[in-house]
């Protein structure tokens, strides 16, 4: 387990990534306790409220079959891109608008801290240890099984100024 985040590497860039797509990223092992299934189940409603939304999931694991089944059942193939793990997630984080991890239990959520260090607002579950890492000014905590809670948080972060403000405070917290 790493001892922290390299804030000189994981940092916002001065270049603004210009895209008409609202990009959500989740970097996680594909395990039931990570909660990706709840994010997938929220995606149809998110698509109704957020124009041009896309979810990128980076990871691997045994639960991938379940994720593909959910994606197919909900007919959201056009919204989800699943890719294998990468050595350096920085570019993917910088290309994204928000980071989501709805995990039930984490030791040291390095991915969340790297996202925060890049200035990304994060949406996490309202379970430990996230309450030790962030507060209402540095990210949003949701009831992981409550689809409306997830949808409302993501909809709230459509606002670019709100994302920027939360992202800046998140970076300050990690630094």
């Amino acid at each position: 387990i790493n001892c922290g985040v390299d804030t000189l590497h994981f940092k916002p860039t001065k270049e603004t990534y210009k895209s008409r797509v609202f990009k959500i990223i989740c970097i996680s092992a594909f395990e039931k306790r990570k909660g990706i299934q709840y994010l997938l189940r929220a995606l149809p409603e998110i698509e109704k409220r957020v124009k041009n939304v896309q979810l990128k999931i980076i990871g691997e694991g045994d639960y991938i079959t379940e994720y593909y089944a959910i994606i197919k059942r909900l007919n959201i193939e056009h919204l989800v891109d699943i890719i294998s793990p990468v050595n350096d997630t920085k570019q993917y984080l910088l290309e994204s608008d928000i980071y989501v991890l709805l995990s039930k239990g984490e030791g040291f959520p390095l991915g969340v801290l790297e996202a925060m260090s890049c200035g990304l607002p994060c949406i996490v579950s309202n379970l430990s240890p996230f309450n030790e890492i962030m507060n209402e000014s540095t990210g949003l905590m949701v009831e992981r099984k409550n689809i409306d809670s997830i949808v409302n948080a993501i909809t709230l972060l459509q606002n670019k100024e709100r994302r920027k403000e939360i992202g800046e405070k998140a970076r300050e917290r990690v630094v």
Side-chain angles (χ1 to χ4, degrees), residues 94-112:
L94 293 176
E95 293 173 356
S96 301
D97 294 299
I98 62 172
Y99 182 95
V100 178
L101 182 62
L102 303 175
S103 184
K104 175 179 142 185
E106 288 288 325
F108 185 79
L110 188 61
V112 172

Side-chain angles (χ1 to χ4, degrees), residues 43-44 47 52-56 75-81:
L43 212 48
E47 183 183 29
N52 299 318
V53 67
Q54 180 187 17
L55 170 61
K56 184 169 293 206
N75 194 29
I76 55 173
E77 296 95 338
H78 62 290
L79 301 177
V80 182
D81 185 20

Side-chain angles (χ1 to χ4, degrees), residues 158-171:
Q158 278 186 104
N159 181 292
K160 191 174 187 175
E161 288 305 312
R162 181 170 280 138
R163 283 196 316 268
K164 182 179 179 197
E165 181 182 322
I166 291 172
E168 287 173 353
K169 290 184 187 303
R171 167 128 177 111

Side-chain angles (χ1 to χ4, degrees), residues 6 10 18 35 37 42 59 74 88 96 101 126-127 129 138 167 173:
D6 181 353
F10 288 97
K18 295 182 180 166
Q37 64 273 25
L74 296 175
D88 187 355
S96 301
L101 182 62
N126 59 356
L127 302 169
T138 60
R173 175 107 171 134

Side-chain angles (χ1 to χ4, degrees), residues 6 11 18 21 24 32 42 59-60 91 95 106 112 125 150 152 158 161 163-164 174:
D6 181 353
K11 64 182 179 181
K18 295 182 180 166
V21 177
I24 303 167
K32 186 174 184 176
E60 64 184 359
Q91 189 59 41
E95 293 173 356
E106 288 288 325
V112 172
S125 66
I150 298 165
N152 290 337
Q158 278 186 104
E161 288 305 312
R163 283 196 316 268
K164 182 179 179 197
V174 172

Side-chain angles (χ1 to χ4, degrees), residues 4 17 29 31 47 60 86 90-91 101 104 109 130 146 148 153 155:
Y17 186 76
E31 302 170 3
E47 183 183 29
E60 64 184 359
V86 295
K90 178 183 173 183
Q91 189 59 41
L101 182 62
K104 175 179 142 185
F130 301 114
N146 184 322
D148 288 336
T155 302

